[in-house]
Each structure stands twice: as structure tokens, then as C-alpha cells.
């Protein structure tokens, strides 16, 4: 008898900042409505199986399920056209930064390299498939290194790494060098120290995907995926931060949803914040606080949880909407205050080579004839 494999499901998130209210704070509800209309139409003609539109601060987030695989031109073009329509409306409404992340006029089959960020996973659905979608504003892709490492490699975060026999087999990390455009794989736990030696340099080495080693899901099927689009490199000049997104599958031999969330229980430092040029703590927030404020931040993480079945979305759950996250939010606010007092000094201000935009070239030119040699 022929063993017929069920169709695979693709879970995609594609995001862009196409304009916001009161500076770079939050997406206008009209843009979300327009995006919903656009994706509804795509669903009605069978391009999408399901979708959910939301925002993270000033980023418009398109969460989509379909059967077309990752990097599919139809899905990417749909996202591109949706962002362009929303950007037009943002111009009409005189929103701030209208069309900011749409860097080119012509679409060429894929949004990668054009400004928007994306994370996608194609998988054979398990009988029940819990997925977390994490979205961050005012920071960069490498900010995910710390929480993703904790979910899949740190037993002080994920008890399953010790207790669950499947998780005990460990996970494989695909790390991208986003400056040299190359990648390398590390098997954990045995190569944990090697992995950490790279991913601590989060502005260059970024966890792109994670794979399970237990055989609970096929070994070539990612269990986590992070957007690695680096706007500043695409454009060659400052055009806004490459605010990242990530997908994390969970349970049944993968980290429990609670372990995935535990990774956010401490306000780790991230590069970004005001003018993409400052270190600050990441605050995990619910929808209620899903917009930036003080000093254009501090950097925010927003999370939604879904069940996926037959490529349809069930949910979402607002993952950080829990008083249990109040201590981390309070600590983050205190750390933000502490960091702010450094003003223009490192380590609050980023080192020169990591600053997204800077007056240094002009300043260097201005004083170039005033330098005097010293012994
Ligand atoms: C950081 C960010 C903001 C802006 C800042 C200045 O990613 O978006 O902090 O850099 O508000 O914005 P402009 O130059 O548009 O006035
Ligand atoms: Mg913006
Ligand atoms: Mg943003």
C-alpha cells in the first residue's frame, strides 16, 4: 500500500515598518485593517490558508499559513504588495516614516534584500502543533541569540533538556555570519562552548535556525527560525533598525511553551533603542504595552501563541500578558533608567562601528587638520 504523506504546512511571518503614529511609536490601525483586507483576498483565492495581522511597535506584522513552501514568490509578492498599499495609505495619513522599510521600487520574486524582514518554517504538522511568534521593536536580529540559546541549550531555563529524553539529545544550531554571508552548524550540548563563542558577538553571528536531534520531528525540519535581514547592510546607509521576528515550535520533545517563555524572564541587554545606537534592556510586553516610548524604547518583545492544525491558525494567546512577567518589566525599567544616565557614553551608546548612524564622518572631517602628533 502506498504511504501517502500529508501535505506540508508553511508558517510565514513577514514584517515591515511602513509608517507609524507620533514618530516611530506604533502602527496606525488603518494600516492593519488594510493588511487584513489584502490577506483576506489572498485567502479567498487559495494563496493563503490562514493569516493574522498585528504589529510590534511601528512594525506591521503579517502572520500567514499556506502550502507553498518557504521563499514562495506568490506569498512574498502578496506581502510586498500589502506593504506598498499600506505605505500609500501611510502617506495619505501623513504618518511618520511612511514607506520607510520599502527600499526598492521593483519586486523580484522575494522580499529578502528589499527591506522587509521574514522568518518561515515548512513542516509536517504533528497532531497538535503549538507555535510561538516573537516580534521585537527597536533592536536587531542578533538580540534573539540570547533567548533562543536559553530555550534550546540552557538547562537552567529549559528543564526538559535534562528531564525529557527527547530534549536530552540536544539541538543543532544554524548560525549565520551576516557580515560575510556564510553559515555554520553547531551540535549542542557537545559544541555549546563553540556556539557561545560566536553568538555572543550578536551584531555579526546570528542564530538563524534550530533543529531537533531526537528524531521527534524530521532532522531537516527547523523547530525555530529567526529573521536575519539587516537593513543597514541592504541600504548601505541608516534607514531604520532591522527589528527582528522569530518562530518557535514547542512541546512533545521540544521546549514546553513555558520554557520558551522562561527565556524572557530576565531583562538582557540589546543593541538598538534610540537612533539604533544604544544598548538597553529588552522588555517583554503584552498587547497593552506594545509600543515604544521612553528614548524611543526601550526595546520591546511581543509574543503570540497559536495552535496550527490543517494549516489553520487557532488563537492567538498574548504570551507575555501575565503578572508573572511584572518583575522582569520592573527590572527592565530600572535598568533603562540606569543605562540612560550614561548619556553619550559607552556602554549605553554603542561602540562606534556598531552605531547605525553617526555624525562622526563629518566631525572627523571638521577636525582633520587640528590633530597634532604626540610621542
Ligand atoms: C530607532 C528609531 C528611532 C529613530 C529616531 C530618529 O530604530 O526608529 O529611534 O532613529 O526617532 O528618527 P528620525 O531620524 O526619523 O527623526
Ligand atoms: Mg519607524
Ligand atoms: Mg520598528
Amino acid at each position: 500500500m502506498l504511504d501517502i504523506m500529508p501535505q506540508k504546512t508553511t508558517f510565514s511571518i513577514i514584517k515591515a515598518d511602513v509608517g507609524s503614529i507620533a514618530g516611530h511609536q506604533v502602527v496606525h490601525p488603518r494600516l492593519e485593517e488594510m493588511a487584513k483586507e489584502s490577506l483576506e483576498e489572498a485567502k479567498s483565492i487559495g494563496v493563503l490558508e490562514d493569516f493574522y495581522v498585528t504589529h510590534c511597535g511601528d512594525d506591521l506584522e503579517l502572520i500567514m499559513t499556506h502550502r507553498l513552501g518557504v521563499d514562495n514568490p506568490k506569498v512574498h509578492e502578496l506581502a510586498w504588495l500589502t506593504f506598498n498599499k499600506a505605505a500609500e495609505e501611510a502617506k495619505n495619513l501623513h504618518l511618520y516614516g511612511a514607506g520607510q522599510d520599502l527600499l526598492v521600487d521593483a519586486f523580484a520574486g522575494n522580499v529578502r534584500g528589499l527591506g522587509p524582514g521574514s522568518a518561515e518554517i515548512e513542516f509536517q504538522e504533528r497532531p497538535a502543533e503549538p507555535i510561538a511568534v516573537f516580534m521585537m521593536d527597536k533592536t536587531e536580529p542578533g538580540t534573539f541569540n540570547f533567548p533562543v540559546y536559553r530555550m534550546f541549550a540552557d538547562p537552567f531555563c529549559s528543564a526538559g533538556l535534562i528531564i525529557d529524553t527527547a530534549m536530552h539529545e540536544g539541538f543543532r544550531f544554524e548560525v549565520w555570519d551576516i557580515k560575510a554571508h556564510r553559515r555554520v552548524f553547531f551540535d549542542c550540548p557537545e559544541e555549546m562552548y563553540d556556539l557561545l563563542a560566536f553568538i555572543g558577538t550578536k551584531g555579526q553571528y546570528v542564530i538563524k535556525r534550530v533543529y531537533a536531534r531526537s528524531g521527534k520531528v524530521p532532522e531537516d525540519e527547523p523547530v525555530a527560525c529567526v529573521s536575519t535581514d539587516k537593513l543597514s547592510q541592504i541600504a548601505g546607509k541608516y534607514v531604520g533598525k532591522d527589528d527582528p521576528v522569530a518562530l518557535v515550535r514547542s512541546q512533545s520533545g521540544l521546549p514546553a511553551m513555558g520554557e520558551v517563555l522562561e527565556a524572557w524572564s530576565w531583562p538582557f541587554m540589546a543593541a538598538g533603542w534610540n537612533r539604533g545606537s544604544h544598548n538597553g534592556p529588552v522588555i517583554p510586553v503584552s498587547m497593552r504595552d506594545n509600543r515604544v516610548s521612553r528614548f524611543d524604547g526601550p526595546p520591546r518583545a511581543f509574543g503570540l501563541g497559536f495552535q496550527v492544525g490543517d494549516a489553520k491558525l487557532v488563537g492567538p494567546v498574548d504570551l507575555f500578558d501575565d503578572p508573572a512577567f511584572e518583575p522582569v518589566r520592573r527590572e527592565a525599567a530600572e535598568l533603562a533608567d540606569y543605562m540612560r544616565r550614561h548619556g553619550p557614553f559607552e556602554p549605553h551608546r554603542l561602540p562606534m562601528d556598531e552605531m547605525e548612524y553617526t555624525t562622526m564622518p563629518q566631525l572627523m572631517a571638521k577636525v582633520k587638520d587640528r590633530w597634532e602628533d604626540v610621542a
Side-chain angles (χ1 to χ4, degrees), residues 24 58 96 138 238 240-241 273-276 296 357:
H24 293 281
D58 61 2
Y96 198 71
K138 304 295 183 271
Y238 183 82
K241 261 285 172 201
W273 204 347
N274 182 273
R275 298 175 189 278
D296 286 352
Y357 57 117

Side-chain angles (χ1 to χ4, degrees), residues 240-279:
K241 261 285 172 201
D242 19 86
D243 303 319
V245 288
L247 305 175
V248 181
R249 296 168 68 193
S250 84
Q251 306 287 160
S252 305
L254 306 179
M257 191 54 84
E259 292 166 341
V260 169
L261 295 181
E262 182 65 13
W264 304 86
S265 60
W266 181 74
F268 53 97
M269 286 286 156
W273 204 347
N274 182 273
R275 298 175 189 278
S277 304
H278 296 83
N279 280 311

Side-chain angles (χ1 to χ4, degrees), residues 15 17 24 56-59 100-101 136-138 241 243:
K15 45 88 32 185
D17 176 350
H24 293 281
C56 181
D58 61 2
D59 300 310
Q100 156 181 319
D101 284 358
M136 286 202 264
D137 192 27
K138 304 295 183 271
K241 261 285 172 201
D243 303 319

Side-chain angles (χ1 to χ4, degrees), residues 151-153 158 160-161 166-174 186-190 195 210-214 217 223 249 253-255:
M151 293 167 201
F152 291 97
S158 294
L161 290 165
M167 281 180 70
H168 204 84
E169 297 293 316
F171 292 89
R172 180 159 223 239
F173 289 77
E174 176 182 334
F186 293 104
D187 286 332
C188 287
E190 61 271 31
L195 172 72
V210 181
Y211 304 85
R213 298 171 71 196
S214 64
V217 301
V223 294
R249 296 168 68 193
L254 306 179

